[in-house]
Amino acid sequence: MSEATSMPPPLDPRVFDSEEFQKDPFPIYKQLRNHHPIYHDRFHNRWIISRYWDVDGAFQDNDSFDRAMYKPDGPYDFGSRHVFGPNILEYGNSDEHRRLRNIVAGQFVGQKLQDFIPMIHQISEEVIDRFIDNGEVEIVSEFASQVPIRVISNMMALPREDEDTFVEWYQLLIAGLGFGGEHLMRGLQARNDMWDYIDPLIKERSKNPGEDLLSRICVAEIEGSRMTIEEVKGFISLLLAAGGDTTEKAIANMWYHLLYTQPDQLQDVIDNPELWENVFTEMMRYDPVVHAQFRYTTREIELHNDVIPERAGVILYLGAGNRDERAFKDPDTFNIHRDDLHMGRENRSGRYKDGKNGHLGFGIGQHFCMGYAMARQESAIACSKLAERIKNPKPKIADHPGISSPNIDSGGFRSPQELRMTFES
Ligand code: HEM
């Protein structure tokens, strides 16, 4: 039986566009979970799912919840809606999605990932060298946003002298994702410039592959099928957002909580660096970078005495599911020592041998994040390197506006805009 009361307190859907929601969506999430487990948002023409097990269930049920952005009965020009160009995100639950995923997924796990670990250490050190003598750092711009994109550039073995240009294209492309208008135009231009730049590299490495990520992606095959040049380009630009922007924001969120909300836990991590992985996991539950994923129903769905019609747009609020008291004790506390969260590496089934629930921050099922292992290792390495090289880290400014999002409602990523820290070296 549904736990919702027969007369739930009303929820005005305009709240999803408010500044209040962008700053702190958690009270609204609670209202959704407790009173509107299935919420029909008529204002935005969509349905919202917010409880942990309902979000988990929808992620697992690909037959009923498709990610494709097109309608099967209408024409759709792949890549037309994205700064990325044609890419895996747009192929929904189709065989084409499976083909593309199988070609590339293996590059980001296991030995292939391990091959890049020494380089992640080196890039982290180089980025820290730039500010270590200053006694202070603005973590977002000088550290978090520098490491992942430089790691991706080096994984692809782009010439090091072009690294700063690559970082610039990345920043323009990411701004084009979130803000539209002029930003979108500049993002598309940066993407085209980057594509022109990698085009000859793709052709060369397809013929004479090395051990770098770009070569591996160019020549990876499933049953004799490789990615086309256009698909490689689309995948590389997706990688910048899916792998660069998310990981940089994860690093910033981790430091925000240790500096501002749980300084005692910062000391625990400094004393026990292996706890950085717990910081990563608890951040992915408590204040994850990605809060929402979108799906379209392929059939009528009955849930909590409600019916979501076929071909309806649905938001899966994983940020709300992660704070569900039905899944986690004391869910509104950030605690890297919690004993009811699976703290180790995630998997796409979302089921773990320790019997604990996992966070929902990488999704689950067919579209489970391909970079889950890379994001975890890269965040832990970068953060532990920084902590190792500084003493007495403190927030520079006592009052911080907190983690927020300029555009959470469109699936925007949540992170602090700025994070100043002082330290001794
Ligand atoms: C902390 C960092 C990261 C977060 C929070 C994150 C989050 C997510 C989420 C929530 C999804 C599921 C999308 C869905 O269900 O529709 C996803 C998918 C994906 N992620 Fe990540 N991600 C991160 C890092 C990375 C990295 C490092 C890579 C680079 C390899 C990556 C590549 C992808 C790709 C390609 C997909 C699409 C998978 C598919 O549709 O099969 N992500 N990510």
Side-chain angles (χ1 to χ4, degrees):
M1 207 178 83
S2 165
E3 288 174 43
T5 58
S6 52
M7 286 286 286
L11 181 64
D12 183 341
R14 285 171 299 181
V15 76
F16 297 110
D17 303 321
S18 68
E19 208 176 305
E20 166 205 352
F21 182 72
Q22 285 171 10
K23 275 197 186 140
D24 183 9
F26 297 103
I28 301 296
Y29 287 166
K30 190 170 200 161
Q31 212 178 326
L32 285 166
R33 285 192 309 266
N34 288 345
H35 302 292
H36 310 271
I38 298 297
Y39 179 68
H40 185 192
D41 173 351
R42 290 184 169 82
F43 187 67
H44 299 94
N45 189 25
R46 63 197 181 178
W47 298 71
I48 294 178
I49 295 183
S50 52
R51 287 188 186 170
Y52 181 90
W53 290 111
D54 296 337
V55 174
D56 171 278
F59 271 133
Q60 307 267 7
D61 184 359
N62 286 306
D63 290 341
S64 310
F65 294 89
D66 195 341
R67 197 180 60 191
M69 292 181 70
Y70 60 91
K71 293 206 185 338
D73 47 357
Y76 180 70
D77 183 9
F78 278 97
S80 61
R81 298 203 194 168
H82 269 302
V83 177
F84 310 136
N87 70 81
I88 188 172
L89 290 183
E90 297 191 51
Y91 287 97
N93 299 341
S94 61
D95 289 344
E96 186 58 14
H97 169 266
R98 281 187 195 84
R99 180 183 81 86
L100 288 173
R101 182 168 174 123
N102 289 341
I103 288 178
V104 286
Q107 305 302 330
F108 302 100
V109 291
Q111 189 52 48
K112 296 231 164 82
L113 172 62
Q114 293 312 310
D115 292 347
F116 293 117
I117 297 297
M119 185 270 286
I120 299 178
H121 281 265
Q122 186 200 326
I123 298 289
S124 305
E125 295 282 9
E126 285 177 13
V127 169
I128 296 167
D129 284 342
R130 293 176 177 210
F131 58 76
I132 191 72
D133 295 329
N134 300 348
E136 65 174 81
V137 57
E138 198 288 283
I139 291 181
V140 175
S141 58
E142 294 180 73
F143 180 62
S145 70
Q146 298 294 325
V147 176
I149 186 61
R150 289 178 193 278
V151 165
I152 290 175
S153 169
N154 280 277
M155 282 172 88
M156 297 202 296
L158 302 186
R160 290 227 67 181
E161 63 271 21
D162 298 336
E163 199 173 304
D164 288 337
T165 312
F166 192 67
V167 173
E168 256 171 59
W169 285 329
Y170 161 74
Q171 283 161 349
L172 289 167
L173 198 145
I174 297 300
L177 273 181
F179 300 99
E182 230 179 274
H183 292 283
L184 175 63
M185 298 319 289
R186 283 203 291 265
L188 289 171
Q189 184 60 50
R191 178 199 74 186
N192 292 343
D193 292 346
M194 184 190 73
W195 280 359
D196 288 346
Y197 172 83
I198 56 171
D199 186 82
L201 295 177
I202 294 174
K203 288 176 182 148
E204 166 56 25
R205 301 216 190 148
S206 300
K207 276 194 233 132
N208 300 307
E211 279 310 307
D212 61 278
L213 181 65
L214 185 57
S215 296
R216 288 176 178 183
I217 291 173
C218 289
V219 300
E221 278 186 10
I222 295 287
E223 293 165 4
S225 156
R226 289 185 182 183
M227 277 191 183
T228 63
I229 290 194
E230 294 312 310
E231 286 169 343
V232 173
K233 287 181 181 172
F235 185 74
I236 299 301
S237 28
L238 169 66
L239 195 59
L240 302 189
D245 195 34
T246 50
T247 309
E248 78 168 59
K249 290 183 162 58
I251 293 172
N253 287 4
M254 289 160 77
W255 280 95
Y256 169 77
H257 280 296
L258 295 181
L259 286 170
Y260 280 96
T261 66
Q262 303 292 348
D264 292 352
Q265 294 179 29
L266 174 57
Q267 195 51 52
D268 291 348
V269 186
I270 289 170
D271 297 340
N272 305 286
E274 71 281 0
L275 286 175
W276 278 108
E277 293 219 15
N278 288 34
V279 182
F280 178 83
T281 316
E282 176 65 342
M283 175 279 298
M284 290 292 281
R285 182 196 71 82
Y286 180 87
D287 229 335
V289 179
V290 178
H291 274 228
Q293 287 298 318
F294 297 85
R295 296 292 189 265
Y296 292 91
T297 51
T298 57
R299 61 173 183 83
E300 266 189 9
I301 309 285
E302 275 189 57
L303 200 57
H304 300 295
N305 297 333
D306 223 326
V307 177
I308 308 178
E310 188 180 337
R311 299 305 311 158
V314 180
I315 294 192
L316 308 181
Y317 264 136
L318 54 97
N322 276 340
R323 295 276 192 111
D324 192 343
E325 36 291 281
R326 294 158 194 82
F328 298 107
K329 286 176 288 191
D330 201 8
D332 292 324
T333 303
F334 183 92
N335 178 7
I336 63 168
H337 302 294
R338 64 172 50 247
D339 61 9
D340 60 348
L341 172 66
H342 172 71
M343 285 289 177
R345 202 169 266 191
E346 300 78 2
N347 67 39
R348 71 193 291 186
S349 76
R351 304 289 178 267
Y352 300 102
K353 285 196 181 129
D354 59 15
K356 297 177 186 176
N357 295 330
H359 67 77
L360 301 168
F362 284 135
I364 291 176
Q366 184 171 348
H367 301 285
F368 173 64
C369 177
M370 285 199 318
Y372 69 103
M374 178 171 151
R376 164 179 290 276
Q377 268 197 289
E378 191 177 349
S379 304
I381 291 170
C383 292
S384 60
K385 283 273 159 217
L386 177 56
E388 213 177 274
R389 298 210 28 208
I390 59 178
K391 288 190 209 88
N392 207 12
K394 294 253 183 314
K396 182 170 181 193
I397 298 158
D399 278 341
H400 192 286
I403 288 178
S404 68
S405 160
N407 193 7
I408 185 176
D409 191 40
S410 62
F413 299 159
R414 283 180 56 84
S415 68
Q417 308 298 309
E418 207 183 65
L419 198 52
R420 295 189 178 277
M421 175 173 83
T422 60
F423 57 82
E424 293 151 31
S425 45

